[in-house]
């Protein structure tokens, strides 16, 4: 020990050395390992808790919005074009269908071509190439209404028209003779009218006529208005004159028409030999020189209503005995002198009711025994109880007949008796034909 000035003094360079025991070092290492494991577990727990919170936030708190379509309806002015024809209001004014009356003109919002079917007039013998079914009048009138188709109709399909099928009762479907031939004698027409009787009384079933030969050509008529001409014109019109001889033929037109207004109507017309109309599955007009539904083998004269037989027929109608033609009326006009004297004039049929815009099935039958034939079909609105001689032309588009053009078309085929077609309202309503 060293002293200096009586005070103890240690050396300045003395070092202290402390060593850890092995047990303490092992315990320290274990503590460090536990701390690391605890930190890792705590980190994993925090990560799991965060994931759980995020999951429930997405599934429960945040509401899923499903995708939806939003439709846009453009204003009417910007709407795309439509093929729906526009209904035109027509007024009623009496006018005679003479040759110097121009066809009705329809003013459209935009200019459109007017299609007129060409008709060869240079010769009385038109040949097979001529389209005899096409009558004159305004063509291409009204969107979707189609061309004119007067007389027996046009071979151009489509548009607003009734489709006609031509049957030759003289031959079977295969072309064999049926025995219904043109003969002389008072009862020569019995077989033909027996067929028509069965057809009309049996609901106008196609199967009754299907056994007879049919022309492959269909005609499409928009009105029924034909001068008195020869029976051989019909096979020419249906383009089958090489297969069909005149007489003993039937043409049936079928379709559906849309009522232009709500009201009560009746068809008015007649034909040589027969004109009949079935509307909404009911016979509403049967007129002409023969009444097929009155056919009776034991009483051949019952179906003939010309001459002396007409008086008896008229009495049966008036008394109500003839229930098939209940309510019928004969109307004489100055334009139909021959029909006035021989069949009592035009025949007004049974009254039927329609609702505007509704569609109704219609069938028109034309038949000829042999010789001259012709027909006219008109319609009357009798809603107010009036009838008289104020007729509309029954038509399915705006076309109307032209007497001069029809007579030119029938050069070489005209029969006696003249037009035999009465005055009708020039602005006749249109009964649009629909599919």
């Amino acid at each position: 020990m060293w002293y200096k000035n009586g005070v103890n003094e240690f050396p300045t360079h003395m070092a202290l050395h402390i060593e850890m025991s092995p047990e303490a070092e092992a315990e320290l290492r274990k503590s460090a390992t536990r701390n690391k494991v605890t930190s890792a577990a705590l980190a994993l727990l925090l990560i799991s808790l965060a994931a759980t919170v995020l999951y429930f936030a997405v599934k429960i708190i945040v509401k899923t919005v499903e995708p939806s379509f939003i439709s846009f309806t453009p204003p009417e002015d910007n709407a795309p074009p439509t093929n729906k024809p526009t209904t035109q209001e027509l007024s009623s004014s009496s006018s005679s269908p003479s040759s110097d009356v121009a066809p009705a003109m329809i003013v459209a919002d935009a200019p459109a071509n007017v299609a007129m079917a060409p008709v060869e007039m240079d010769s009385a013998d038109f040949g097979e190439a001529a389209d005899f079914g096409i009558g004159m009048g305004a063509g291409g009138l009204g969107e979707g209404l189609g061309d004119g188709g007067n007389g027996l109709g046009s071979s151009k399909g489509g548009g607003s028209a009734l489709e006609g099928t031509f049957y030759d009762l003289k031959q079977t479907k295969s072309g064999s003779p049926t025995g219904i031939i043109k003969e002389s004698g008072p009862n020569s027409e019995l077989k033909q009218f027996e067929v028509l009787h069965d057809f009309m009384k049996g609901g106008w079933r196609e199967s009754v006529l299907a056994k007879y030969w049919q022309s492959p050509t269909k005609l499409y008529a928009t009105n029924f208005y034909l001068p008195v001409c020869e029976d051989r014109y019909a096979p020419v019109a249906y383009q089958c004159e090489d297969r069909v001889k005149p007489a003993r033929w039937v043409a049936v037109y079928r379709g559906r028409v849309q009522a232009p207004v709500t009201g009560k109507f009746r068809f008015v017309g007649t034909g040589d030999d027969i004109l009949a109309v079935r509307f909404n599955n009911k016979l509403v007009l049967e007129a002409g020189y023969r009444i097929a539904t009155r056919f009776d083998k034991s009483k051949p004269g019952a179906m003939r209503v010309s001459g002396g037989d007409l008086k008896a027929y008229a009495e049966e109608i008036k008394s109500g005995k003839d229930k098939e033609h209940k309510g019928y009326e004969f109307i004489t006009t100055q334009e139909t002198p021959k029909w006035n004297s021989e069949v009592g004039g035009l025949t007004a049929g049974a009254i039927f009711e329609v609702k505007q815009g509704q569609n109704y099935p219609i069938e028109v039958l034309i038949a000829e025994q042999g010789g001259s034939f012709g027909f006219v079909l008109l319609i009357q609105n009798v809603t107010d109880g009036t009838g008289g001689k104020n007729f509309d032309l029954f038509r399915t588009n705006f076309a109307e007949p032209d007497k001069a053009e029809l007579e030119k078309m029938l050069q070489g085929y005209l029969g006696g008796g003249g037009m035999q077609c009465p005055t009708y309202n020039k602005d006749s309503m249109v009964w649009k034909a629909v599919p």
Side-chain angles (χ1 to χ4, degrees), residues 107-278:
V107 180
D109 292 336
N113 293 330
V114 176
M116 293 298 291
V119 180
E120 184 63 46
M121 302 287 186
D122 293 338
S123 171
D125 185 8
F126 290 88
E128 295 182 7
D131 187 357
F132 280 86
I134 300 178
M136 297 298 104
L141 299 172
E143 184 179 357
L145 291 181
D147 297 334
N150 306 312
L152 288 171
S154 168
S155 61
K156 296 180 181 179
S160 177
L162 305 182
E163 183 182 81
T165 303
F166 180 87
Y167 304 88
D168 181 20
L169 302 184
K170 301 185 299 297
Q171 54 183 317
T172 65
K173 191 173 182 179
S174 61
S176 301
T178 62
I180 302 177
I181 59 174
K182 188 176 182 180
E183 301 170 338
S184 60
N187 299 328
S188 61
E189 75 274 17
L190 288 183
K191 292 182 180 179
Q192 176 190 4
F193 288 101
E194 183 176 8
V195 173
L196 296 178
H197 172 275
D198 294 344
F199 174 71
M200 296 173 66
K201 296 287 282 188
W204 294 53
R205 288 181 291 109
E206 171 67 19
S207 58
V208 176
L209 298 178
K211 66 183 71 173
Y212 300 100
W213 189 88
Q214 299 180 26
S215 170
T217 298
K218 303 287 186 180
L219 293 185
Y220 301 88
T222 64
N223 59 70
F224 298 89
Y225 181 103
L226 189 71
V228 177
C229 59
E230 298 178 7
D231 55 2
R232 60 191 180 96
Y233 162 73
V236 173
Y238 274 93
Q239 301 175 19
C240 58
E241 67 272 29
D242 57 332
R243 289 288 307 272
V244 178
K245 294 182 179 181
R248 303 298 195 274
W249 52 256
V250 181
V252 180
Y253 295 79
R254 296 182 173 91
R256 297 179 67 85
V257 294
Q258 188 176 93
V261 296
T262 297
K264 297 181 180 180
F265 291 83
R266 66 179 180 180
F267 285 103
V268 179
T270 194
D272 179 0
D273 284 287
I274 289 180
L275 172 73
V277 180
R278 189 171 185 250

Side-chain angles (χ1 to χ4, degrees), residues 23-93:
E23 292 81 2
E25 184 177 1
E27 185 65 27
L28 182 63
R29 288 178 179 174
K30 288 181 180 179
S31 178
T33 301
R34 284 195 299 269
N35 291 339
K36 290 179 180 179
V37 172
T38 301
S39 298
L42 183 59
L44 290 174
L45 180 61
L46 292 174
I47 292 173
S48 300
L49 180 61
T52 302
V53 172
L54 180 62
Y55 172 80
F56 283 102
V58 172
K59 283 291 185 179
I60 299 176
I61 300 176
V62 180
K63 185 178 181 181
T64 303
V65 180
E66 296 184 358
S68 62
F69 292 97
I70 300 177
S71 62
F72 171 72
T73 303
E76 187 174 348
D77 293 341
N78 297 328
T82 175
N83 290 327
K84 183 178 179 180
T86 302
T87 303
Q88 177 169 342
E89 294 294 333
L90 299 174
S91 62
S92 294
S93 60

Side-chain angles (χ1 to χ4, degrees), residues 317-336:
I317 292 177
K318 187 175 181 180
S319 65
K321 183 179 178 181
D322 188 334
K323 296 181 181 180
E324 191 84 40
H325 308 95
K326 185 178 180 180
Y328 278 33
E329 180 184 354
F330 294 109
I331 303 174
T332 60
T333 69
Q334 294 181 354
E335 296 91 351
T336 60

Side-chain angles (χ1 to χ4, degrees), residues 354-411:
V354 296
K355 292 184 179 180
Q356 184 178 17
Q358 289 195 9
N359 301 332
Y360 300 88
I362 184 173
E363 297 151 288
V364 179
L365 177 145
I366 299 166
E368 174 55 33
Q369 172 190 342
S372 298
F373 86 100
F375 49 82
V376 61
L377 182 60
L378 309 171
I379 192 169
Q380 277 187 323
N381 187 339
V382 294
T383 304
D384 58 1
T386 61
K389 301 177 182 179
N390 184 30
F391 310 122
D392 270 7
L393 173 72
F394 176 73
R395 57 181 181 174
T396 61
N397 72 3
F398 291 105
E400 65 174 312
D402 183 279
K403 176 180 177 180
E405 294 297 339
L406 280 170
E407 289 180 337
K408 288 180 182 179
M409 184 183 70
L410 294 171
Q411 286 180 8

